[in-house]
Amino acid sequence: MEKVFSIADVTREMGPSANGFRERWASYILELQQSICTGLEAKDGISRFTDEQWARSGTDSKAEGGGRTRIISGGSIFEKGGVNTSIVHGKVTDPMRVQLGMDGDRWFAAGISLVLHPKNPFVPTSHANWRYFELYDEKGKVIRNWFGGGADLTPYYLFEEDARHFHGCFKNAMAPFGSTLYPAYKAWCDRYFNNAHRGFEMRGIGGVFYDHLVPGEMSKQHPVSFTLEEAFAFQRAVGNQFMAAYLPIIERRADEPYTDQNTYWQQIRRGRYVEFNLIHDRGTLFGLKTNGRTESILMSLPPQVRFDYNYQPAEGSPEAALLDVCRHPRDWA
Amino acid sequence: MEKVFSIADVTREMGPSANGFRERWASYILELQQSICTGLEAKDGISRFTDEQWARSGTDSKAEGGGRTRIISGGSIFEKGGVNTSIVHGKVTDPMRVQLGMDGDRWFAAGISLVLHPKNPFVPTSHANWRYFELYDEKGKVIRNWFGGGADLTPYYLFEEDARHFHGCFKNAMAPFGSTLYPAYKAWCDRYFNNAHRGFEMRGIGGVFYDHLVPGEMSKQHPVSFTLEEAFAFQRAVGNQFMAAYLPIIERRADEPYTDQNTYWQQIRRGRYVEFNLIHDRGTLFGLKTNGRTESILMSLPPQVRFDYNYQPAEGSPEAALLDVCRHPRDWA
């Protein structure tokens, strides 16, 4: 049952949070969604984002809450894209305990997730996501909370200048929080966006990725221990960097003329994007297997895709150069 | 390391089977592959199947054996298709024990798997698969063996005549083995080819499907107990029926004129085909997660595909009629 959604619904459903943080985080991602959509619309100049606000009642196996699904398609720049928020909560179910190792009684998750598939094969696809989780005991007390996020770039043709710019932006955004963060989260991104069923083959040239960033904890994967406030500031710094990282690349490439052969290769690589998202991506599979909102989750899939048997680019071609960098990630910043 | 493959390689690797059955089964699927490819080439008239014979050495996590991958593309009828055999064996690994509940020391699997994606949206896609497994104890004695198989039809537009013909053929092929078999395996097919993340939505109009058909055993799912010889005869009867079930449908529809809108809808439905194969299909996921031959496994994916956000056919349209029958499977035979 879908109805118009607002943060007030979540507060009414869950009660206000003890420290006010759930509400602050939810406000941040909704603001970020708004500003990204506004900026991308201005860049596209033709298409506008739809604005679908949804909410639903929970059941034992289905989360409660809502979100805003904002989709763009058929634009001058963007063939298809989505910038979605969702703010959901529910009971920790047995499958979550077994498959995800989650404990506690109830959970809360709120995030923004975006994927942009440009039409021109010289403009890369980009994806980003920032999220926050809380787990509660039976009295509603937070027993664990963590952040995750990242942004990555999937070019169809390699422009080293673009790769350096994209990585450099996130390196700069992270630097004030500790110089060890960018290298750790860059390496994590290289490991994560890997089509392992094709040996080591990344879906693009990476960016940054991190998960289970728990305030007050440090580990090999998380080289800096943040307070809750520091972690929030870090999330904002990285999230607010997205447009600065992506827009200049669009500007540089959007008017590049292209051939049917360029589009053919774009569609082959989009096939790899589909493979990654449906076979490996934890967020997608978690959403689909926990009765998430299927159309919002699958907005990430590229609009037009090809699957050829054993397609191999010609040796020495620009297509082969792209494939090489997906198989052998480089340091860009 | 790939080399030319023959059944003799498997016999050399594994030794001859105690009862000769492995070799008989392998010969059958290779003959069936040959006859199906010959028949489909004659129908297509333009394109021919490639013939790639592959073999590989095993490792602890990788099966040994080989197969023949036969691909057709760019034909007058078939935009893309594959008719593959694989005959592989390996050690039962810990992930197999845990995730698949397999016991024993070593395993053997041999099967034929085919998927045909016609160009004309009025000609349905078809898929079929017949397979045989053996599990061995440490002395190489067979401790369990079973068959699986089935054939199903994925039309883009519903022609009731075609659905009745396809189902009727397999009902007739199964009838001599027991009248309870077709209804049981038709219902299993309806349950299996379901995009559960979209509620109940089949990828097509089904056919027959069965798995873990163990000689000498009967269950609710398997209403008839077969000897090994009877089970083999049953597999042959169903497998040999495929061309009679599919070819007349191709003949009826291949010259139907179609519009870009028909192709658009075909590509949307092909998107559902990709979703099913990559998210739900056990054979695909088993292959990809056990270091199978990725390109042979993913030959099943349709050549050109669309993913639109929340695409809905117009009420009362032929596209809506197809969707309705995917959501509410009918009895066709």
Side-chain angles (χ1 to χ4, degrees), chain B residues 305-326:
Chain B
V305 180
R306 270 180 193 276
F307 297 99
D308 283 12
Y309 175 74
N310 205 22
Y311 186 92
Q312 304 288 350
E315 240 179 279
S317 64
E319 290 80 7
L322 188 274
L323 198 52
D324 183 67
V325 80
C326 293

Side-chain angles (χ1 to χ4, degrees), chain B residues 174-187:
Chain B
M174 291 184 176
F177 299 86
S179 62
T180 49
L181 288 163
Y182 168 76
Y185 296 160
K186 188 271 184 194

